Amino acid sequence: MIATDMTAMAASPVGRQAVSEALAALTDQVSRNSDSMDVFFILVSGYLVFLMQTGFAMLTAGSVRSKNTKNVLLKNVLDACVGAIAYYLFGFAFAYGTEANSFLGHSDFALSGDRTDFHFFFFQWTFAATAATIVSGSVAERTSFYAYLGYAFFLSGFVYPIVSHWVWGGGWLSTIFTVGAKDFAGDAVVHMVGGFAGLAGATIVGPRLGRFDQDGRVVPMPGHSATLCTLGTFILWFGWYGFNPGSTLGISNTGPDADYTVTAARCAVTTTIAAASAGVTTLIVIKLRDHIFDLLACLNGILAGLVAITASCAWVEVYAALVIGVIGALVYIGAAMLLLMFKIDDPLEAFPIHGAVGVWGAFAVGLFARIELLTLSGYGNDNGWEGVFYGGGGRLLAANCVMIASIAGWTLVMIVPLFVVLNLVGVLRISPEMELIGNDVSKHGGAAYPDDVITTEEKQAGHTIDNLGVDDSLSRADDPTMV
């Protein structure tokens, strides 16, 4: 009966108009629902990327000595705060201004104009905050608080946004050699910027007091909490599922030429496999070298795997992700050894993990990218250019090599003079006295772990040992008759 009524309605001019209007309204509603799904997906991905700030904070805190815990935590907090202001005022406009040239955007400062894509701004800001936070580990425990704030503002407001415009905002690298440089989630754009800026900072500020002895040999300076390091690594790994899959910038497009749902799922799997393979590889290599199962090295290996796959996560087969992760771990280990050889003190090994492995990850795109997966992710087939290992020729690899060199050069050219000037005017490094006492006591109102709590825990541990009949040295130290 209903079908008969619809047929009759469609047969009349008025009925055809009503059906047409109903179909148009339905199509419009479906389109709006798809847009809403995309916005929601991007926002949730941004929330996950922002949660990575917690991971960086925990990892950094655990990797330094307890006397500098408050200091590094506050710097991580202010990376987000200062970076948000800088990116709002200048950074987003330089990266994605609607009026732009091949070098930078030059409109929409402070979100002026008719910009309403706030979800996109938020997501891109979380990436800028990530790039800035990477440096905190390289210069930890000896850098002036004021100098660090100046650096964070400069990198978030200018250095990083220019690079992101070159690759993601329609700049010159996005069209180079007709194929354009390819970096899906930011190996070169994010991790290389943070890693090379950290290298510049660590080199210019110099090593921590006592890091190398008079003969140049490395003096171990372990962090105070492997627990915090492990927690931070797992939070970062979790946040990477917003960083990589979220870089599809949508989830609703499931057309024949592009399928963001499948692409996001592939990103999650390749990210997982690369992290796992790099963690296991690092554990094995360090065991062979140092004869121990090193937890902290394994954690850094996992992070190296996550960085290594970031550029290519949407465009490579799963088995290639395993290979990329394994090589990423080896690059990390080699770069960490080179830094110590050159007497560069990087407490969190931020340059080996983010800078050196970021180079490898961006390079790997030119080797392993598949044309079918480039198309599926919405990047098109780029006239058939794909990774060298699949017969695509070297144009994509060449484009990414230019990207690597350009971003490394730009970052160093911008950051090195800043650190040199700060060093010359005496505001880059804290005094030796402050460094020996620790930043927390000298600048932040006291230790992160109150002495009475530490003393109580030590006494409780001593009494427990004494009761077990293992050692009575602690209990004897408290007994004046035993002196």
Side-chain angles (χ1 to χ4, degrees), residues 184 257-260 262-263 266 270 312-318 320 368-382 386 390:
F184 186 76
D257 295 327
D259 192 327
Y260 293 168
V262 172
T263 299
R266 173 179 294 274
T270 55
S312 61
C313 56
W315 304 320
V316 299
E317 302 290 354
V318 177
F368 294 100
R370 298 297 307 271
I371 192 65
E372 298 87 352
L373 302 179
L374 283 163
T375 302
L376 198 65
S377 67
Y379 277 70
N381 66 10
D382 290 316
E386 58 182 336
Y390 299 99

Side-chain angles (χ1 to χ4, degrees), residues 236-475:
L236 285 169
W237 192 343
F238 180 69
W240 236 284
Y241 293 122
F243 204 95
N244 286 359
S247 291
T248 58
L249 298 180
I251 198 67
S252 66
N253 189 343
T254 57
D257 295 327
D259 192 327
Y260 293 168
T261 304
V262 172
T263 299
R266 173 179 294 274
C267 290
V269 173
T270 55
T271 298
T272 302
I273 296 302
S277 63
V280 172
T281 300
T282 304
L283 187 69
I284 293 171
V285 171
I286 299 302
K287 171 62 175 175
L288 294 174
R289 189 189 72 181
D290 299 336
H291 310 293
I292 60 171
F293 290 111
D294 193 329
L295 168 65
L296 299 181
C298 180
L299 297 177
N300 283 344
I302 290 170
L303 295 177
L306 291 167
V307 172
I309 198 63
T310 294
S312 61
C313 56
W315 304 320
V316 299
E317 302 290 354
V318 177
Y319 65 81
L322 188 147
V323 175
I324 290 170
V326 169
I327 297 177
L330 299 177
V331 170
Y332 149 65
I333 294 170
M337 294 172 65
L338 280 175
L339 283 192
L340 294 178
M341 184 184 302
F342 288 105
K343 307 297 183 295
I344 298 174
D345 182 18
D346 187 342
L348 269 80
E349 299 182 324
F351 172 74
I353 295 171
H354 299 278
V357 179
V359 170
W360 158 241
F363 186 83
V365 173
L367 302 177
F368 294 100
R370 298 297 307 271
I371 192 65
E372 298 87 352
L373 302 179
L374 283 163
T375 302
L376 198 65
S377 67
Y379 277 70
N381 66 10
D382 290 316
N383 298 318
W385 293 103
E386 58 182 336
V388 171
F389 291 161
Y390 299 99
R395 184 172 293 191
L396 178 58
L397 180 61
N400 272 32
C401 286
V402 172
M403 175 178 67
I404 290 167
S406 301
I407 290 176
W410 166 259
T411 303
L412 292 175
V413 166
M414 291 293 103
I415 292 297
V416 167
L418 174 66
F419 280 126
V420 168
V421 170
L422 292 172
N423 193 38
L424 289 176
V425 299
V427 297
L428 180 59
R429 183 165 184 148
I430 61 176
S431 68
E433 295 78 16
M434 283 186 177
E435 189 172 345
L436 290 172
I437 296 171
N439 284 283
D440 293 357
V441 171
S442 61
K443 290 193 284 186
H444 302 296
Y449 307 102
D451 290 340
D452 56 338
V453 175
I454 297 174
T455 302
T456 300
E457 291 179 350
E458 288 177 346
K459 288 183 177 180
Q460 289 174 347
H463 291 315
T464 301
I465 293 173
D466 184 49
N467 291 336
L468 292 173
V470 176
D471 182 14
D472 63 351
S473 59
L474 291 175
S475 61

Side-chain angles (χ1 to χ4, degrees), residues 60-69 71-73 75 135-145 148 205-209 211 220-224 345-348 428-440 442-443:
T60 306
S63 299
V64 302
R65 292 164 291 181
S66 60
K67 63 183 180 180
N68 295 307
T69 305
N71 180 259
V72 296
L73 289 175
K75 286 177 178 176
V135 187
S136 65
S138 294
V139 298
E141 300 200 271
R142 75 272 200 201
T143 306
S144 163
F145 189 71
Y148 188 80
V205 75
R208 291 168 289 177
L209 293 177
R211 183 63 170 119
M221 284 188 173
H224 79 281
D345 182 18
D346 187 342
L348 269 80
L428 180 59
R429 183 165 184 148
I430 61 176
S431 68
E433 295 78 16
M434 283 186 177
E435 189 172 345
L436 290 172
I437 296 171
N439 284 283
D440 293 357
S442 61
K443 290 193 284 186

Side-chain angles (χ1 to χ4, degrees), residues 95-279:
Y96 301 107
T98 52
E99 297 178 15
N101 54 43
S102 62
F103 185 79
L104 51 69
H106 48 81
S107 66
D108 307 326
F109 292 95
L111 290 177
S112 59
D114 298 326
R115 297 297 293 254
T116 58
D117 51 347
F118 299 122
H119 60 291
F120 183 67
F121 167 83
F122 171 75
F123 185 73
Q124 295 301 333
W125 162 70
T126 62
F127 275 52
T130 300
T133 302
I134 291 169
V135 187
S136 65
S138 294
V139 298
E141 300 200 271
R142 75 272 200 201
T143 306
S144 163
F145 189 71
Y146 299 109
Y148 188 80
L149 292 181
Y151 144 79
F153 191 93
F154 182 55
L155 188 137
S156 301
F158 185 69
V159 179
Y160 166 79
I162 298 299
V163 169
S164 58
H165 176 76
W166 290 353
V167 180
W168 294 335
W172 66 279
L173 282 174
S174 66
T175 57
I176 189 170
F177 303 149
T178 67
V179 66
K182 295 289 187 290
D183 185 358
F184 186 76
D187 252 332
V189 176
V190 179
H191 294 285
M192 276 186 59
V193 169
F196 277 85
L199 175 65
T203 303
I204 295 169
V205 75
R208 291 168 289 177
L209 293 177
R211 183 63 170 119
F212 303 98
D213 65 17
Q214 293 180 344
D215 297 324
R217 290 175 299 212
V218 178
V219 177
M221 284 188 173
H224 79 281
S225 176
T227 304
L228 288 178
C229 291
T230 305
L231 174 64
T233 300
F234 272 116
I235 293 174
L236 285 169
W237 192 343
F238 180 69
W240 236 284
Y241 293 122
F243 204 95
N244 286 359
S247 291
T248 58
L249 298 180
I251 198 67
S252 66
N253 189 343
T254 57
D257 295 327
D259 192 327
Y260 293 168
T261 304
V262 172
T263 299
R266 173 179 294 274
C267 290
V269 173
T270 55
T271 298
T272 302
I273 296 302
S277 63

Side-chain angles (χ1 to χ4, degrees), residues 24-38:
L26 180 61
T27 301
D28 180 64
Q29 184 63 52
V30 170
S31 176
R32 285 188 281 116
N33 288 347
S34 296
D35 291 343
S36 297
M37 287 174 59
D38 289 338

